[in-house]
C-alpha cells in the first residue's frame, strides 16, 4: 500500500558538527538557512561577482545566530572551538515562488540596510 504524499513537506535540517579546528566545505542553494546551535563558526559564503572580479566576505557566527544565503554556491564553515550548525534549504523562500517585483524590492531593501538606510 502506498503512503499518501504531501504536496508540501517541511525540509529536514542537515546537522553539521565540527570538532575544534575542523572545517566543512559544501554546496548550498540560494535561501539556505544556517543556524548555529552550539559553538562558533566563520562562514565563507559563495563567491559573488563585483565588476570584473569575484569576492567573498567572511561572516562570524556564534550560538543562536542565523544566516540565510543570498546566492547558491560553495561555502565553507570553519570552527576553532567546535560547533553544531543546522542547515535547511527553504523551499518557500526560493526565488521562483516570489513575485519579480517583490524580489527587486527585497534586494533594494537589503542594499539600503547595508548602507544604514532604514525605511518603513
Amino acid at each position: 500500500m502506498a503512503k499518501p504524499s504531501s504536496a508540501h513537506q517541511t525540509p529536514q535540517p542537515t546537522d553539521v558538527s565540527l570538532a575544534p579546528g575542523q572545517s566543512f566545505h559544501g554546496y548550498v542553494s540560494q535561501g539556505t538557512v544556517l543556524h548555529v546551535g552550539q559553538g562558533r563558526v566563520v562562514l565563507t559564503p559563495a563567491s559573488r561577482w563585483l565588476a570584473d572580479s569575484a569576492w567573498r566576505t567572511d561572516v562570524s557566527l556564534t550560538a543562536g545566530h542565523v544566516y540565510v544565503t543570498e546566492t547558491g554556491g560553495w561555502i565553507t564553515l570553519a570552527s576553532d572551538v567546535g560547533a553544531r550548525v543546522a542547515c535547511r534549504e527553504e523551499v518557500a523562500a526560493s526565488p521562483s515562488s516570489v513575485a519579480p517585483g517583490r524580489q527587486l524590492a527585497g534586494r533594494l531593501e537589503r542594499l539600503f540596510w547595508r548602507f544604514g538606510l532604514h525605511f518603513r
Side-chain angles (χ1 to χ4, degrees):
M1 183 173 212
K3 291 183 179 180
S5 64
S6 172
H8 176 67
Q9 294 181 351
T10 304
Q12 296 297 319
T14 301
D15 286 330
V16 176
S17 294
L18 299 172
Q22 191 176 27
S23 64
F24 168 81
H25 187 72
Y27 187 87
V28 296
S29 301
Q30 179 181 13
T32 298
V33 177
L34 304 171
H35 178 237
V36 181
Q38 291 179 337
R40 179 175 65 218
V41 297
V42 174
L43 165 69
T44 304
S47 297
R48 299 190 65 184
W49 285 102
L50 178 63
D52 63 346
S53 61
W55 59 277
R56 296 180 186 212
T57 303
D58 289 347
V59 180
S60 295
L61 303 168
T62 57
H65 282 140
V66 173
Y67 182 89
V68 180
T69 59
E70 293 181 12
T71 60
W74 292 95
I75 65 163
T76 302
L77 295 169
S79 179
D80 57 349
V81 297
R84 192 183 82 242
V85 181
C87 304
R88 176 176 299 173
E89 289 191 21
E90 293 295 322
V91 176
S94 68
S96 61
S97 67
V98 180
R102 180 63 197 132
Q103 284 180 342
L104 178 59
R107 288 180 183 159
L108 288 174
E109 187 176 326
R110 284 192 301 274
L111 180 65
F112 290 146
W113 180 83
R114 196 171 280 165
F115 289 100
L117 304 170
H118 303 281
F119 299 100
R120 286 279 172 202

